[in-house]
């Protein structure tokens, strides 16, 4: 099992392939991959608030394709890359290989 997050300010589009490669090479069967969100009361929330990057919506679910902040990476690139990670690591062939 492993948990992974994408959407950090320092993430570049290469993060998606790197996560796919890591999950596949390490044999992680259950990889929970989510999008970064900034819960109230965290230092991340406070920093993003100071930078005027917070959005009003926050579902609390980091797997539902929602963000509560404006990411540094282009949002469409982030969403497409996130979906690519999930589709790759949970494709039947790759998932069964990990099992």
């Amino acid at each position: 099992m492993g948990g992974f997050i994408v959407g950090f300010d320092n993430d570049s589009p290469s993060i998606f392939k790197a996560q796919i490669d890591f999950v596949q090479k390490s044999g992680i069967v259950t990889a929970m991959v989510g999008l970064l969100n900034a819960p109230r009361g965290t230092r991340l929330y406070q920093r993003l608030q100071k930078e005027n990057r917070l959005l009003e919506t926050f579902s609390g679910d980091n797997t539902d394709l929602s963000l509560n902040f404006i990411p540094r990476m282009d949002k469409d690139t982030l969403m497409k890359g996130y979906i690519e990670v999930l589709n790759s690591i949970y494709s039947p062939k790759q998932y069964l290989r990990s099992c």
Side-chain angles (χ1 to χ4, degrees):
M1 298 179 95
F4 305 90
I5 296 175
V6 294
F8 291 98
D9 284 350
N10 291 330
D11 284 350
S12 70
S14 66
I15 192 65
F16 308 115
K17 180 159 179 16
Q19 283 196 358
I20 291 166
D21 291 346
F22 180 81
V23 169
Q24 291 174 346
K25 288 177 183 174
S26 63
I28 295 172
V29 177
T30 305
M32 201 297 284
V33 183
L35 291 166
L36 180 67
N37 273 281
R40 280 190 187 273
T42 63
R43 291 188 315 178
L44 177 60
Y45 184 92
Q46 293 167 357
R47 179 174 63 84
L48 293 173
Q49 189 173 40
K50 287 179 187 175
E51 296 174 6
N52 293 316
R53 292 174 53 201
L54 285 176
L55 302 173
E56 292 185 28
T57 59
F58 182 59
S59 71
D61 181 349
N62 70 345
T63 63
D64 68 357
L65 298 177
S66 69
L67 296 171
N68 72 330
F69 71 101
I70 300 166
R72 291 244 168 103
M73 185 185 303
D74 175 73
K75 185 178 178 183
D76 288 337
T77 301
L78 178 56
M79 294 301 163
K80 287 176 186 174
Y82 172 68
I83 292 168
E84 177 186 352
V85 170
L86 294 177
N87 287 338
S88 295
I89 65 175
Y90 285 111
S91 71
K93 180 180 178 180
Q94 290 302 327
Y95 183 75
L96 291 173
R97 183 179 293 156
S98 294
C99 289

